[in-house]
Amino acid sequence: MRVAIIAESFLPNMNGVTHSLLRVLDHLADRGDEVLVIAPGTRRDGPKEVAGTRIVRVPSIALPKYRRIRVAPGGVTRIRRLLQRFAPDVVHLASPFVLGWRGVLAAQTLNLPTVAIYQTEVPAYAARYGMHGIEAMLWNHVRNIHQHSSLTLAPSSYTINQLEGLGVAEVALWARGVDSSRFDPGHRSEAWRRSVAPNGEKIIGFVGRLAAEKQVEDLAALTDLPGAKVVIVGDGPWRMRLQRLLPDAHFTGFLGGDALAQAVASFDVMVAPGELETFCQTIQEAMASEVPVIAPARGGPLDLVDSSRTGWLYAPKDLGAMRAHAADLLGDESKRRAFGVAGREQVQARSWKSVCSQLVGHYSRAIENPAPQVLGRGFSTMVNSGLENPLPY
């Protein structure tokens, strides 16, 4: 199979989109497929190749408040030429919004099937970053992208309902895998625990990007729990602000590889307070490490956390309930152990190999039924007139 991947975000920026794409690239390389990745960036951005896949960068601009994130506005011509040269069997749109919109329109001109991966709730993110009043327009854009795709894959039952509520018809479930040999309770380290909680406190952990949408500031409700230490793993534009808001928390900075696996396994409880998670991969990684999870009852966590068996769900914004659940687990070692064991049993079979095999099956489905739900209104006029910005804003 020849697969063109148009990624809204990619290395060197590591996030949920990039993480899942790297696993997909490994799987396609093992199958012997030919793959091209088109992503925002500059000529200096690396790497140029991953798992035998060539990475092509298209001109982009950095977001003013989050310069590690780049967006690639422009027209369809450049993307159409790249796709025409590569001649893929299918186009994979990874968390499409700006570059992905250009990609789906370019694929239509070439009659190429597209599989759009819904992964980021961009309209709600906009409100978190102070851009109020435009959510309806952004949701309209999300609907347009997915209605122009042959098939949309969503990571959770919540997001399937969300997209179907917008009027997107062709939606299927595609969750994420977890490496249960890397994320394993055997990596728990008493030395690491002493380094971040030198007074022997129980550790309440968080892992993720330190940005507005992750709601890390909600962890302030936990910092004064007796005998507990909040440990925050990650980096991002809100780090300095969060250090001021959470002066008693320990910030490790970004951790990857074995260091991340050791940190997660060394938590007593993990809290994922973000209410805009379409999936939340860090929850699966904690569960694989036998660490119980506390999260809001919205989005991806609804599918991942079996409340009162592998962790606790609380009503969004109910920080009192979040605190009560944390106190409950920290004060009951046998319950923590039982929740942790049940969590690992729940996710152990979710290997990346099986999940990526499902993705290839979805590619085949799109190839067999390539027609998108709708053709873009005014689309041919935009292409023929040479307009370089077909975005609706």
Side-chain angles (χ1 to χ4, degrees):
M1 202 178 277
R2 292 175 67 82
V3 182
I5 297 176
I6 299 178
E8 207 71 36
S9 175
F10 196 62
L11 294 173
N13 184 36
M14 179 57 77
N15 53 31
V17 176
T18 304
H19 180 267
S20 58
L21 278 179
L22 293 176
R23 302 289 76 78
V24 169
L25 292 180
D26 286 341
H27 184 78
L28 296 178
D30 288 344
R31 280 172 37 91
D33 297 319
E34 295 184 56
V35 187
L36 172 72
V37 171
I38 302 169
T42 68
R43 292 180 180 178
R44 297 186 300 275
D45 283 340
K48 307 299 182 188
E49 184 177 295
V50 174
T53 296
R54 184 166 66 99
I55 315 300
V56 175
R57 304 289 178 172
V58 295
S60 60
I61 56 175
L63 293 180
K65 293 185 179 181
Y66 200 168
R67 300 199 64 79
R68 289 179 60 190
I69 301 293
R70 304 189 69 87
V71 296
V76 300
T77 304
R78 180 190 294 265
I79 309 304
R80 186 174 66 237
R81 286 173 181 164
L82 289 169
L83 293 178
Q84 199 163 23
R85 289 192 199 110
F86 183 66
D89 297 304
V90 65
V91 178
H92 171 140
L93 305 167
S95 194
F97 198 76
V98 180
L99 180 57
W101 175 240
R102 297 166 63 190
V104 75
L105 295 181
Q108 277 194 357
T109 66
L110 300 171
N111 295 315
L112 294 173
T114 49
V115 176
I117 314 296
Y118 179 66
Q119 197 159 341
T120 309
E121 197 175 324
V122 174
Y125 275 36
R128 292 277 181 195
Y129 281 92
M131 293 179 281
H132 300 286
I134 63 170
E135 282 192 68
M137 180 179 68
L138 297 180
W139 278 120
N140 182 59
H141 183 53
V142 170
R143 183 181 65 246
N144 285 341
I145 290 170
H146 292 282
Q147 286 185 325
H148 283 70
S149 302
S150 307
L151 174 65
T152 288
L153 302 181
S156 59
S157 56
Y158 182 92
T159 51
I160 289 175
N161 292 335
Q162 200 174 43
L163 291 167
E164 289 179 343
L166 289 173
V168 181
E170 295 296 326
V171 187
L173 178 67
W174 183 59
R176 303 294 180 268
V178 64
D179 185 344
S180 57
S181 59
R182 177 185 170 203
F183 290 95
D184 182 283
H187 298 310
R188 186 178 176 91
S189 166
E190 291 303 321
W192 187 89
R193 288 171 56 82
R194 287 192 298 272
S195 73
V196 300
N199 298 316
E201 302 98 328
K202 295 289 191 295
I203 296 174
I204 301 170
F206 166 84
V207 178
R209 192 169 59 254
L210 305 187
E213 68 276 7
K214 297 298 182 180
Q215 295 174 242
V216 187
E217 67 276 12
D218 287 357
L219 299 181
L222 307 176
T223 54
D224 65 344
L225 279 173
K229 183 74 172 181
V230 173
V231 175
I232 296 171
V233 177
D235 206 350
W238 272 40
R239 178 169 177 173
M240 300 210 40
R241 176 175 181 171
L242 290 168
Q243 286 175 324
R244 291 194 299 270
L245 292 172
L246 305 168
D248 296 324
H250 180 89
F251 289 76
T252 70
F254 175 81
L255 297 179
D258 293 342
L260 176 61
Q262 176 181 258
V264 174
S266 300
F267 295 162
D268 292 294
V269 175
M270 194 185 86
V271 180
E275 296 169 11
L276 303 180
E277 298 287 358
T278 58
F279 185 75
C280 199
Q281 178 66 9
T282 60
I283 287 179
Q284 283 202 138
E285 292 167 352
M287 291 170 69
S289 304
E290 291 191 358
V291 174
V293 177
I294 300 168
R298 185 188 187 277
L302 288 168
D303 288 353
L304 296 174
V305 180
D306 187 351
S307 201
S308 83
R309 195 179 77 89
T310 65
W312 289 112
L313 294 171
Y314 60 91
K317 300 182 175 58
D318 189 351
L319 302 188
M322 178 183 75
R323 179 184 171 92
H325 290 319
D328 169 62
L329 286 170
L330 293 179
D332 191 333
E333 185 174 351
S334 62
K335 184 181 285 188
R336 285 201 313 276
R337 175 65 179 159
F339 279 25
V341 170
R344 182 167 173 83
E345 289 175 352
Q346 182 173 305
V347 302
Q348 229 172 343
R350 300 177 187 171
S351 70
W352 275 108
K353 182 175 182 179
S354 64
V355 166
C356 290
S357 293
Q358 293 169 10
L359 177 63
V360 172
H362 289 305
Y363 289 165
S364 297
R365 174 181 165 187
I367 291 168
E368 291 169 6
N369 301 282
Q373 297 171 61
V374 298
L375 291 174
R377 185 170 56 188
F379 169 60
S380 60
T381 304
M382 285 190 291
V383 173
N384 293 334
S385 64
L387 290 177
E388 285 301 300
N389 188 11
L391 293 174
Y393 53 88

